[in-house]
Amino acid sequence: MLFKEIDPCELENLNAFRAVGKEWFLITAEHGGVRNAMTASWGFLGNLWNKNAAVCFVRPQRFTHTLTENADRVSLCFFGDGYRPELGRIFGRLSGRDLDKAAEAGFHYTYLDGVPAFEEAKLVLVCRKMYTDLIKEENFLDKEVDAACYPAKDYHTVYVCEVEKAYISSPAAK
């Protein structure tokens, strides 16, 4: 086992603003024996509906969208800023429809509680989808955000997930 389970409330030294917006993370999903991951730089971690929660966003044209739509559970894998080149160049730009992005990046899949994740991650959140919706043009109060982030009107699907388990990389477990 490469990871040690911890209580999500016991996560130390996790700056969600930096981890999500600067270092980025991978949303990983599997359906019908097909797995894929994509880079995300928008998301939230916190508490919602009396549960530890994560919110992530996937555009409908992404291959990961199809898998995430059909999966009950996903993983959110955080790596730290040393992996940003792979997250940007491979997982953020290439399509899993065309190649195995994990192999291209030199990453290795593992499964935590039956959900695909990556051995290279320093933190993995195993999440169960609780709610989904599509961002809607008519709901933007700040029209400049809509214009800047959605010029093609390709609005994200929002997934609100319960964080079922948290795992940290554990050298002692390797």
Side-chain angles (χ1 to χ4, degrees):
M1 178 175 198
L2 301 170
F3 292 92
K4 174 181 152 186
E5 183 180 348
I6 64 165
D7 182 330
C9 294
E10 301 301 316
L11 284 171
E12 294 182 19
N13 303 318
L14 177 68
N15 178 322
F17 293 100
R18 184 180 64 246
V20 173
K22 301 289 184 202
E23 297 171 355
W24 306 337
F25 65 101
L26 293 179
I27 301 169
T28 310
E30 180 176 55
H31 178 71
V34 177
R35 60 191 178 190
N36 194 53
M38 62 164 268
T39 299
S41 61
W42 294 356
F44 298 94
L45 302 172
N47 189 282
L48 183 64
W49 303 321
N50 301 313
K51 297 179 184 290
N52 293 322
V55 180
C56 54
F57 303 82
V58 182
R59 290 188 198 266
Q61 65 266 37
R62 297 296 300 260
F63 181 52
T64 303
H65 186 271
T66 301
L67 301 176
T68 303
E69 279 291 297
N70 290 293
D72 293 328
R73 298 161 73 223
V74 300
S75 72
L76 307 182
C77 299
F78 297 84
F79 298 85
D81 62 1
Y83 289 90
R84 192 166 161 159
E86 293 91 342
L87 298 184
R89 182 175 43 81
I90 296 170
F91 289 97
R93 288 192 172 83
L94 302 178
S95 176
R97 290 181 187 96
D98 303 325
L99 76 145
D100 180 343
K101 293 191 281 186
E104 184 77 14
F107 283 19
H108 303 91
Y109 279 106
T110 189
Y111 284 82
L112 298 170
D113 301 302
V115 179
F118 290 100
E119 291 179 8
E120 292 77 12
K122 69 177 185 179
L123 168 66
V124 177
L125 302 177
V126 174
C127 301
R128 180 183 60 83
K129 293 185 324 188
M130 296 189 294
Y131 178 86
T132 185
D133 199 1
L134 187 65
I135 291 179
K136 299 171 185 75
E137 179 177 11
E138 62 271 15
N139 290 348
F140 275 96
L141 302 175
D142 185 336
K143 302 301 183 192
E144 291 179 18
V145 170
D146 181 26
C149 295
Y150 298 102
K153 303 301 181 196
D154 56 341
Y155 297 102
H156 285 89
T157 300
V158 179
Y159 298 98
V160 178
C161 304
E162 176 183 8
V163 177
E164 292 183 315
K165 293 190 180 176
Y167 292 91
I168 57 171
S169 179
S170 176
K174 291 182 180 177

